[in-house]
């Protein structure tokens, strides 16, 4: 199941939920998702940008929750480009894995606001 939003300009995001047959399968999926997001293989920045992981922390929500935030910023060779924020919250609860992800030009969703989203999403998991 998923739900998404977009502001029609530069921001979008959503939540993706997957229920696994067993808690062990969900835990393996959770670990794989976190590892993939940390490696950032899926979405490389443009050649004129660089990317760094600026947040990697755990929350005491569900069985396991981690917030990861990637930040893209323009290289000196492209001074007119925008930076971008890409926060993720991955939560494991029983046999359900939730991924909340946003993307936005500029600094993106403020860390305190994104933590509120992450906690609210995790609190509503079945």
């Amino acid at each position: 199941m998923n739900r998404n939003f977009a502001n029609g300009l530069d921001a979008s995001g959503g939540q993706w939920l997957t229920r696994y047959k067993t808690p062990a399968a969900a835990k393996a999926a959770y670990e794989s998702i976190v590892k993939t997001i940390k490696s950032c293989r899926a979405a490389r920045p443009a050649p004129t940008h660089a990317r760094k992981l600026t947040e990697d922390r755990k929350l005491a929500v569900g069985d396991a929750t981690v917030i990861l935030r990637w930040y893209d910023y323009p290289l000196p060779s492209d001074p007119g480009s925008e930076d971008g924020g890409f926060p993720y919250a991955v939560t494991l609860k029983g046999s359900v894995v939730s991924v909340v992800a946003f993307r936005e030009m500029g600094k993106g969703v403020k860390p305190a606001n994104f933590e509120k989203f992450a906690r609210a999403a995790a609190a509503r998991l079945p």
Side-chain angles (χ1 to χ4, degrees):
M1 178 175 85
N2 71 14
R3 57 186 133 190
N4 301 298
F5 94 95
N7 70 359
L9 296 171
D10 64 354
S12 63
Q15 179 182 22
W16 292 262
L17 299 172
T18 305
R19 182 181 305 274
Y20 293 87
K21 289 185 179 186
T22 66
K27 182 174 170 92
Y30 168 86
E31 290 171 357
S32 176
I33 291 166
V34 169
K35 182 179 177 182
T36 300
I37 292 171
K38 282 183 179 182
S39 72
C40 197
R41 292 185 186 129
R44 295 278 181 211
T48 58
H49 284 66
R51 177 172 284 179
K52 63 182 173 180
L53 187 65
T54 59
E55 188 173 11
D56 179 358
R57 65 188 173 95
K58 295 179 180 177
L59 300 177
V61 181
D63 298 332
T65 298
V66 65
I67 291 180
L68 303 161
R69 179 183 297 270
W70 282 100
Y71 177 63
D72 281 7
Y73 55 96
L75 296 172
S77 61
D78 191 13
S81 285
E82 294 257 359
D83 50 357
F86 304 88
Y88 298 83
V90 185
T91 299
L92 168 66
K93 184 174 178 188
S95 62
V96 175
V97 175
S98 164
V99 178
V100 176
F102 283 84
R103 68 166 266 318
E104 187 172 11
M105 300 300 283
K107 302 293 182 197
V109 178
K110 292 179 181 175
N113 290 343
F114 190 73
E115 182 174 331
K116 288 178 190 176
F117 297 150
R119 287 183 180 281
R124 290 175 175 81
L125 292 177

